[in-house]
Amino acid sequence: MADKLGQSLQNWTESQVSTWLRSIGVKEQYVEKLFDEEVDGQILLALNEDFLKTKICMKSGPAHLIIQKRDELINSQPKSQVKKKLTSGNKTELEQKKIDQKSVLCLSTTSEGSLAQSSERDQDILKERPTSQEQCVLTSKEDCRPRPFDQEGIDFIYVKHRVLQPESGAFNLTSPCHEFKSFSVAATLDRKRLQAKFAKEVLKFATGCMNIRSNGTIHVGVMDSKEDAGYVHGEIIGIPVTEKDIYVDALDYIEKSFSSDKEHVRQCVRPPRFIEVMDRESTEKKYVVEVDIVPSISIVKSKVYAVRLPNFKEATNKVEFEKEAILRRVGSKTEPVNDKDLSDFYQRVKDRDAQREEAEKNQFLNAPDFCKDLGRKLTMLMTSGKKFIEKEKWFILVTNKFIPDDLCNIDWLLNMNMFCVFDFDPDSKTSGLCSRYLQHHAANMHSLQSYRISGDMSINEFTSHLHLFEQTSWIFCNGRTDFKGNETPCDEMTWIKTKMTFLRESVSLICKQILPKGTFQVIFLLTSSVEKPLLHTFYEFFTDMEGHEDIICICESQGNFQKWQSFAEGSCGTEIVNNSSVVGMKMSHINATLQQIQPVKACASKHLPVFVKGTCLLETHQEEQMYSLEILTVDHCDETSKDFIDEEKANIEQQFYRGGRVNWLHFWLAEHKYVGEVIERDAYHDVSKLLNDALKWNADQTPVNSINIYHHPGSGGSTVARQVLWNNRKDLRCAVVKPSYSAALVAQHTVELREYEEKDPQRCLPVLLLIEDSDKEYLDDLRNELEVAINIKRIQYGTLCFILLSCRRSHDPERRCKESPLQNVSVTHKLSDQEKRKFSGKRQALEEQYEA
């Protein structure tokens, strides 16, 4: 029989194993079961009777027959034929895995007889198998996260030999359960067989998930069993995909496999997604094919789904359909519901529906976004925890294509001590970052080949030859469109074949021979879609720098970061990647934030706080277009000259304490200790408490909140109001309404201030708006105008957008405060005991400092 099959047992396909099983008299039900479990020749070599009886549910007689006949077949084959695969000219996948992973290979235990008979074969193919009590240790295989569930437009990548978490059952119904299928053999089948196999696995899993109302993902190209020699459960291998439509069209079996509710299944089973598998040692393209299952309660409510799974029958050479079955997900497996459990399963439909409905409600319950302080994070990473960027430190920039808007915000790069730039944009010299950089600095143009050092040249001679410490070295990593030499851009796979070695050599040369460890920092600035060559660059830097301490990643787009993150986590771990990355800041915000911590500053400019806690530049022409507002900036008065401060600081303080109106410069002088502090009245703390309460997230929060200050004329109410604005200018957008402008115009400008330089109207800082001495009708009009604007923009309910701080004179402020204690604050001429002590001390200090 083996002669008829024409090749060694180890190389048999599932179909060939099925043919052999029939030839030795095994019942068709067992043949089909082994085919379903993807038992090929290599797996047949590893089988034992215990596995056949416990996993395949086979009776003792046929199990013993299969093992006996298998062992006879092994003994009848020449040893050279068994070894044939391993002695071929090219390395096998298994050999390459041994080299790459240095892992301990595991198989399930075999009987003593078969182990003894095949010991010589096992020494060639596999390391000795441990007993079932022994732990299979694969120390070099890194964990990784799955692709984000059911999200469109996600740029994600898997890395070969990394390991997903084990297959799982239903957890909370919206967190997907997972199932893995290797398809190592199935992927090589013809179209008809492959589609039947793929459809069977997907629809089996999907039906189980839908019936228990759980989200799920089936991953094809991921090892699903420890029976797979040399792999661990969940290990990413990938499968070749020559025609993606084979997998997409396989789901057309839905119409044949379900007698009813076909449309429901179509709605719950998402189209296949093809996630590329990156292999550092190969240029062959492989994928993990994934199908997400989303049984939304609006679709599956009150339903139980039965399926007739497709199965390709070798005997008839056509696809037949199994008996209709109701399946459910039980732990990490999908199993049919037994007849005795069927009644109870139907009775519990309402319970499962209720659980799914509650899970969906909790999933989409909009809690407030926890906003990380990205401004501080960026500052700390760039300065290594210091106040300013170190002047002596060298920086290496790795980047890709810039969009035009980002090129307008690179001032911070122009002030960096740049050693070199690894630029993956072939157009950079003509229209990208390089062209803009050259407007301000000199740079030497290099290719990756430029960093190949000849054997007779010393490092000093090499650095001198390339002027490495004299001017920035601009390295075009993927050719130049403006260069007529042999520097044409190429696709990813061609790059890996032709340029990968040059990159590895250049990175190693810089990190190990040119720049001492700790004297430089590498910035990966991801401004467009991340491709594999850039991922390879990260790996080389991480390896040659012996860690992540001096590598940071800056990326505005969460989508672009996903692919980077999924790759980098395997080397660094999730926590380190997150801690070393700044994701979500616009380039304009990055530019403004970093310029504030650079030793060399450009001319003074105005900045506003942004939602992610950094800052953005307030352009003068934009400020002037919001002319009904006096906008208070983060660095208000910073532009004041030192000479003016020295000349006027005494006059400003004296004028205020003699009854003059407070101005912003007075607060600035007090904050910078040029003059004494501005006393904080009790009312200041009352207003601050109301403001802080308003800023706390509340589902019932109105989009426009009001705080009213009522004050005796000349009692300092305006000072309290402006003090509140001054002390919140770094956390909120703050402005004072100028008199005589209509409520409609003020509302228009206030909305523009809120959304200025923010990309999402749902995620903006609230505007704290001071309105002085206006009547109630004006305030009501302004509130109405702002609420109309919010409704037009469909801002989510519960989002605080504006705080109207009204400051009005009153002859009886305490009565007005009593009318609405949670909204109104009073300021009177009468001082509390604490205020008296503060003003007494201040008066004494002023009398000592200035002549009365």
Side-chain angles (χ1 to χ4, degrees), residues 508-539:
S508 179
L509 185 67
I510 292 170
C511 296
K512 293 184 175 180
Q513 299 187 61
I514 297 176
L515 294 177
K517 184 176 174 62
T519 64
F520 67 99
Q521 189 166 22
V522 179
I523 304 169
F524 280 82
L525 184 59
L526 312 179
T527 54
S528 56
S529 180
V530 176
E531 296 187 333
K532 285 192 284 187
L534 203 140
L535 299 178
H536 281 289
T537 306
F538 166 77
Y539 180 76

mmCIF file of all heavy atoms in Angstrom, residues 508-539:
data_model
loop_
_atom_site.group_PDB
_atom_site.id
_atom_site.type_symbol
_atom_site.label_atom_id
_atom_site.label_comp_id
_atom_site.label_asym_id
_atom_site.label_seq_id
_atom_site.Cartn_x
_atom_site.Cartn_y
_atom_site.Cartn_z
ATOM 1 N N SER A 508 24.282 48.307 13.064
ATOM 2 C CA SER A 508 25.298 47.710 13.935
ATOM 3 C C SER A 508 26.539 48.598 14.026
ATOM 4 O O SER A 508 27.113 48.779 15.102
ATOM 5 C CB SER A 508 25.677 46.324 13.398
ATOM 6 O OG SER A 508 26.666 45.724 14.209
ATOM 7 N N LEU A 509 26.932 49.166 12.906
ATOM 8 C CA LEU A 509 28.113 50.033 12.889
ATOM 9 C C LEU A 509 27.908 51.259 13.783
ATOM 10 O O LEU A 509 28.780 51.617 14.579
ATOM 11 C CB LEU A 509 28.395 50.464 11.450
ATOM 12 C CG LEU A 509 29.661 51.286 11.216
ATOM 13 C CD1 LEU A 509 30.901 50.444 11.484
ATOM 14 C CD2 LEU A 509 29.681 51.821 9.788
ATOM 15 N N ILE A 510 26.743 51.890 13.657
ATOM 16 C CA ILE A 510 26.476 53.103 14.448
ATOM 17 C C ILE A 510 26.386 52.770 15.934
ATOM 18 O O ILE A 510 26.990 53.448 16.776
ATOM 19 C CB ILE A 510 25.169 53.768 13.966
ATOM 20 C CG1 ILE A 510 25.345 54.335 12.561
ATOM 21 C CG2 ILE A 510 24.741 54.876 14.924
ATOM 22 C CD1 ILE A 510 24.054 54.798 11.915
ATOM 23 N N CYS A 511 25.628 51.741 16.274
ATOM 24 C CA CYS A 511 25.345 51.447 17.681
ATOM 25 C C CYS A 511 26.518 50.804 18.422
ATOM 26 O O CYS A 511 26.664 50.993 19.621
ATOM 27 C CB CYS A 511 24.122 50.533 17.790
ATOM 28 S SG CYS A 511 22.596 51.280 17.208
ATOM 29 N N LYS A 512 27.325 50.040 17.712
ATOM 30 C CA LYS A 512 28.375 49.287 18.390
ATOM 31 C C LYS A 512 29.770 49.882 18.234
ATOM 32 O O LYS A 512 30.663 49.600 19.038
ATOM 33 C CB LYS A 512 28.374 47.838 17.892
ATOM 34 C CG LYS A 512 27.124 47.070 18.297
ATOM 35 C CD LYS A 512 27.211 45.617 17.863
ATOM 36 C CE LYS A 512 26.015 44.816 18.386
ATOM 37 N NZ LYS A 512 26.082 43.389 17.984
ATOM 38 N N GLN A 513 29.968 50.717 17.190
ATOM 39 C CA GLN A 513 31.326 51.196 16.957
ATOM 40 C C GLN A 513 31.456 52.720 16.900
ATOM 41 O O GLN A 513 32.523 53.251 17.189
ATOM 42 C CB GLN A 513 31.870 50.604 15.639
ATOM 43 C CG GLN A 513 31.936 49.077 15.635
ATOM 44 C CD GLN A 513 32.629 48.540 14.402
ATOM 45 O OE1 GLN A 513 33.799 48.827 14.157
ATOM 46 N NE2 GLN A 513 31.909 47.764 13.603
ATOM 47 N N ILE A 514 30.382 53.404 16.536
ATOM 48 C CA ILE A 514 30.500 54.848 16.353
ATOM 49 C C ILE A 514 30.001 55.630 17.563
ATOM 50 O O ILE A 514 30.709 56.488 18.107
ATOM 51 C CB ILE A 514 29.757 55.293 15.080
ATOM 52 C CG1 ILE A 514 30.402 54.645 13.847
ATOM 53 C CG2 ILE A 514 29.771 56.811 14.950
ATOM 54 C CD1 ILE A 514 29.680 54.939 12.540
ATOM 55 N N LEU A 515 28.798 55.350 18.023
ATOM 56 C CA LEU A 515 28.214 56.086 19.154
ATOM 57 C C LEU A 515 28.200 55.209 20.396
ATOM 58 O O LEU A 515 27.573 54.143 20.398
ATOM 59 C CB LEU A 515 26.788 56.524 18.818
ATOM 60 C CG LEU A 515 26.616 57.564 17.700
ATOM 61 C CD1 LEU A 515 25.137 57.819 17.446
ATOM 62 C CD2 LEU A 515 27.343 58.857 18.041
ATOM 63 N N PRO A 516 28.868 55.624 21.475
ATOM 64 C CA PRO A 516 28.848 54.832 22.715
ATOM 65 C C PRO A 516 27.442 54.744 23.285
ATOM 66 O O PRO A 516 26.641 55.667 23.159
ATOM 67 C CB PRO A 516 29.780 55.622 23.651
ATOM 68 C CG PRO A 516 30.588 56.498 22.753
ATOM 69 C CD PRO A 516 29.716 56.817 21.586
ATOM 70 N N LYS A 517 27.133 53.649 23.942
ATOM 71 C CA LYS A 517 25.819 53.440 24.557
ATOM 72 C C LYS A 517 25.536 54.541 25.577
ATOM 73 O O LYS A 517 26.398 54.918 26.365
ATOM 74 C CB LYS A 517 25.768 52.069 25.246
ATOM 75 C CG LYS A 517 24.407 51.710 25.844
ATOM 76 C CD LYS A 517 24.426 50.310 26.415
ATOM 77 C CE LYS A 517 23.130 49.983 27.151
ATOM 78 N NZ LYS A 517 21.948 50.013 26.296
ATOM 79 N N GLY A 518 24.337 55.076 25.523
ATOM 80 C CA GLY A 518 23.933 56.119 26.455
ATOM 81 C C GLY A 518 24.159 57.529 25.951
ATOM 82 O O GLY A 518 23.700 58.487 26.572
ATOM 83 N N THR A 519 24.886 57.663 24.814
ATOM 84 C CA THR A 519 25.160 59.008 24.287
ATOM 85 C C THR A 519 24.180 59.418 23.199
ATOM 86 O O THR A 519 24.273 60.514 22.672
ATOM 87 C CB THR A 519 26.591 59.077 23.710
ATOM 88 O OG1 THR A 519 26.687 58.188 22.581
ATOM 89 C CG2 THR A 519 27.622 58.702 24.757
ATOM 90 N N PHE A 520 23.231 58.530 22.850
ATOM 91 C CA PHE A 520 22.311 58.847 21.769
ATOM 92 C C PHE A 520 20.940 58.266 22.065
ATOM 93 O O PHE A 520 20.775 57.364 22.894
ATOM 94 C CB PHE A 520 22.841 58.318 20.431
ATOM 95 C CG PHE A 520 22.889 56.810 20.326
ATOM 96 C CD1 PHE A 520 21.876 56.113 19.675
ATOM 97 C CD2 PHE A 520 23.944 56.099 20.867
ATOM 98 C CE1 PHE A 520 21.920 54.738 19.566
ATOM 99 C CE2 PHE A 520 24.001 54.722 20.771
ATOM 100 C CZ PHE A 520 22.987 54.037 20.121
ATOM 101 N N GLN A 521 19.963 58.833 21.397
ATOM 102 C CA GLN A 521 18.586 58.381 21.534
ATOM 103 C C GLN A 521 18.002 58.198 20.139
ATOM 104 O O GLN A 521 18.250 58.997 19.232
ATOM 105 C CB GLN A 521 17.762 59.400 22.320
ATOM 106 C CG GLN A 521 16.377 58.928 22.710
ATOM 107 C CD GLN A 521 15.745 59.825 23.765
ATOM 108 O OE1 GLN A 521 16.134 60.979 23.920
ATOM 109 N NE2 GLN A 521 14.782 59.313 24.503
ATOM 110 N N VAL A 522 17.215 57.128 19.960
ATOM 111 C CA VAL A 522 16.595 56.828 18.666
ATOM 112 C C VAL A 522 15.117 57.169 18.750
ATOM 113 O O VAL A 522 14.403 56.707 19.643
ATOM 114 C CB VAL A 522 16.779 55.347 18.286
ATOM 115 C CG1 VAL A 522 16.110 55.053 16.939
ATOM 116 C CG2 VAL A 522 18.258 54.996 18.227
ATOM 117 N N ILE A 523 14.657 57.991 17.816
ATOM 118 C CA ILE A 523 13.251 58.381 17.757
ATOM 119 C C ILE A 523 12.632 57.775 16.497
ATOM 120 O O ILE A 523 13.058 58.079 15.381
ATOM 121 C CB ILE A 523 13.092 59.912 17.703
ATOM 122 C CG1 ILE A 523 13.779 60.568 18.890
ATOM 123 C CG2 ILE A 523 11.613 60.295 17.668
ATOM 124 C CD1 ILE A 523 13.878 62.084 18.754
ATOM 125 N N PHE A 524 11.645 56.906 16.689
ATOM 126 C CA PHE A 524 10.867 56.412 15.558
ATOM 127 C C PHE A 524 9.650 57.329 15.422
ATOM 128 O O PHE A 524 8.751 57.324 16.265
ATOM 129 C CB PHE A 524 10.430 54.969 15.787
ATOM 130 C CG PHE A 524 11.509 53.965 15.500
ATOM 131 C CD1 PHE A 524 12.489 53.679 16.452
ATOM 132 C CD2 PHE A 524 11.565 53.322 14.277
ATOM 133 C CE1 PHE A 524 13.496 52.767 16.189
ATOM 134 C CE2 PHE A 524 12.573 52.407 14.003
ATOM 135 C CZ PHE A 524 13.544 52.125 14.954
ATOM 136 N N LEU A 525 9.657 58.145 14.383
ATOM 137 C CA LEU A 525 8.590 59.097 14.125
ATOM 138 C C LEU A 525 7.741 58.546 12.978
ATOM 139 O O LEU A 525 8.120 58.635 11.814
ATOM 140 C CB LEU A 525 9.178 60.466 13.771
ATOM 141 C CG LEU A 525 8.195 61.614 13.563
ATOM 142 C CD1 LEU A 525 7.358 61.862 14.807
ATOM 143 C CD2 LEU A 525 8.952 62.885 13.169
ATOM 144 N N LEU A 526 6.595 57.966 13.320
ATOM 145 C CA LEU A 526 5.766 57.267 12.347
ATOM 146 C C LEU A 526 4.681 58.209 11.845
ATOM 147 O O LEU A 526 3.678 58.434 12.523
ATOM 148 C CB LEU A 526 5.144 56.022 12.985
ATOM 149 C CG LEU A 526 6.116 55.127 13.779
ATOM 150 C CD1 LEU A 526 5.380 53.942 14.375
ATOM 151 C CD2 LEU A 526 7.267 54.666 12.899
ATOM 152 N N THR A 527 4.873 58.751 10.667
ATOM 153 C CA THR A 527 3.951 59.762 10.148
ATOM 154 C C THR A 527 3.043 59.220 9.048
ATOM 155 O O THR A 527 2.199 59.952 8.545
ATOM 156 C CB THR A 527 4.746 60.965 9.606
ATOM 157 O OG1 THR A 527 5.704 60.499 8.658
ATOM 158 C CG2 THR A 527 5.469 61.672 10.737
ATOM 159 N N SER A 528 3.230 57.971 8.663
ATOM 160 C CA SER A 528 2.356 57.348 7.657
ATOM 161 C C SER A 528 2.324 55.850 7.923
ATOM 162 O O SER A 528 2.890 55.373 8.905
ATOM 163 C CB SER A 528 2.853 57.657 6.240
ATOM 164 O OG SER A 528 4.193 57.254 6.067
ATOM 165 N N SER A 529 1.657 55.108 7.058
ATOM 166 C CA SER A 529 1.481 53.671 7.255
ATOM 167 C C SER A 529 2.827 52.961 7.423
ATOM 168 O O SER A 529 3.783 53.227 6.696
ATOM 169 C CB SER A 529 0.735 53.083 6.052
ATOM 170 O OG SER A 529 0.550 51.699 6.221
ATOM 171 N N VAL A 530 2.885 52.056 8.393
ATOM 172 C CA VAL A 530 4.142 51.376 8.739
ATOM 173 C C VAL A 530 4.288 50.117 7.880
ATOM 174 O O VAL A 530 3.402 49.263 7.853
ATOM 175 C CB VAL A 530 4.152 51.001 10.231
ATOM 176 C CG1 VAL A 530 5.406 50.208 10.566
ATOM 177 C CG2 VAL A 530 4.068 52.257 11.088
ATOM 178 N N GLU A 531 5.437 50.004 7.211
ATOM 179 C CA GLU A 531 5.709 48.827 6.392
ATOM 180 C C GLU A 531 6.820 48.001 7.027
ATOM 181 O O GLU A 531 7.516 48.448 7.938
ATOM 182 C CB GLU A 531 6.078 49.243 4.964
ATOM 183 C CG GLU A 531 4.917 49.938 4.239
ATOM 184 C CD GLU A 531 5.223 50.186 2.771
ATOM 185 O OE1 GLU A 531 6.412 50.310 2.422
ATOM 186 O OE2 GLU A 531 4.277 50.253 1.979
ATOM 187 N N LYS A 532 6.976 46.785 6.515
ATOM 188 C CA LYS A 532 7.882 45.828 7.149
ATOM 189 C C LYS A 532 9.342 46.287 7.245
ATOM 190 O O LYS A 532 9.997 46.010 8.250
ATOM 191 C CB LYS A 532 7.777 44.481 6.441
ATOM 192 C CG LYS A 532 6.496 43.741 6.805
ATOM 193 C CD LYS A 532 6.506 42.297 6.363
ATOM 194 C CE LYS A 532 6.282 42.178 4.891
ATOM 195 N NZ LYS A 532 6.132 40.783 4.453
ATOM 196 N N PRO A 533 9.900 46.991 6.247
ATOM 197 C CA PRO A 533 11.284 47.441 6.400
ATOM 198 C C PRO A 533 11.507 48.298 7.655
ATOM 199 O O PRO A 533 12.531 48.184 8.321
ATOM 200 C CB PRO A 533 11.528 48.249 5.123
ATOM 201 C CG PRO A 533 10.649 47.601 4.111
ATOM 202 C CD PRO A 533 9.408 47.230 4.868
ATOM 203 N N LEU A 534 10.529 49.105 7.991
ATOM 204 C CA LEU A 534 10.671 49.936 9.186
ATOM 205 C C LEU A 534 10.609 49.080 10.451
ATOM 206 O O LEU A 534 11.295 49.357 11.441
ATOM 207 C CB LEU A 534 9.570 51.006 9.198
ATOM 208 C CG LEU A 534 9.889 52.248 10.035
ATOM 209 C CD1 LEU A 534 9.401 53.498 9.321
ATOM 210 C CD2 LEU A 534 9.239 52.161 11.394
ATOM 211 N N LEU A 535 9.814 48.019 10.426
ATOM 212 C CA LEU A 535 9.760 47.100 11.564
ATOM 213 C C LEU A 535 11.088 46.373 11.725
ATOM 214 O O LEU A 535 11.570 46.183 12.844
ATOM 215 C CB LEU A 535 8.623 46.091 11.366
ATOM 216 C CG LEU A 535 7.208 46.676 11.257
ATOM 217 C CD1 LEU A 535 6.195 45.563 11.024
ATOM 218 C CD2 LEU A 535 6.847 47.471 12.499
ATOM 219 N N HIS A 536 11.669 45.968 10.621
ATOM 220 C CA HIS A 536 12.997 45.346 10.679
ATOM 221 C C HIS A 536 14.013 46.314 11.299
ATOM 222 O O HIS A 536 14.905 45.906 12.042
ATOM 223 C CB HIS A 536 13.459 44.941 9.278
ATOM 224 C CG HIS A 536 12.856 43.667 8.780
ATOM 225 N ND1 HIS A 536 13.197 42.441 9.297
ATOM 226 C CD2 HIS A 536 11.930 43.426 7.812
ATOM 227 C CE1 HIS A 536 12.523 41.493 8.668
ATOM 228 N NE2 HIS A 536 11.735 42.066 7.759
ATOM 229 N N THR A 537 13.879 47.590 10.978
ATOM 230 C CA THR A 537 14.809 48.593 11.516
ATOM 231 C C THR A 537 14.706 48.669 13.027
ATOM 232 O O THR A 537 15.712 48.763 13.733
ATOM 233 C CB THR A 537 14.525 49.970 10.885
ATOM 234 O OG1 THR A 537 14.558 49.837 9.465
ATOM 235 C CG2 THR A 537 15.561 50.987 11.318
ATOM 236 N N PHE A 538 13.474 48.642 13.540
ATOM 237 C CA PHE A 538 13.303 48.639 14.999
ATOM 238 C C PHE A 538 13.996 47.430 15.620
ATOM 239 O O PHE A 538 14.702 47.542 16.636
ATOM 240 C CB PHE A 538 11.828 48.628 15.381
ATOM 241 C CG PHE A 538 11.608 48.297 16.831
ATOM 242 C CD1 PHE A 538 11.824 49.247 17.814
ATOM 243 C CD2 PHE A 538 11.229 47.018 17.217
ATOM 244 C CE1 PHE A 538 11.661 48.937 19.154
ATOM 245 C CE2 PHE A 538 11.069 46.699 18.558
ATOM 246 C CZ PHE A 538 11.281 47.664 19.524
ATOM 247 N N TYR A 539 13.793 46.273 15.027
ATOM 248 C CA TYR A 539 14.382 45.056 15.586
ATOM 249 C C TYR A 539 15.902 45.145 15.623
ATOM 250 O O TYR A 539 16.538 44.746 16.602
ATOM 251 C CB TYR A 539 13.942 43.843 14.766
ATOM 252 C CG TYR A 539 14.501 42.544 15.278
ATOM 253 C CD1 TYR A 539 13.984 41.942 16.414
ATOM 254 C CD2 TYR A 539 15.572 41.926 14.633
ATOM 255 C CE1 TYR A 539 14.507 40.756 16.900
ATOM 256 C CE2 TYR A 539 16.106 40.742 15.106
ATOM 257 C CZ TYR A 539 15.564 40.163 16.238
ATOM 258 O OH TYR A 539 16.091 38.988 16.717
#
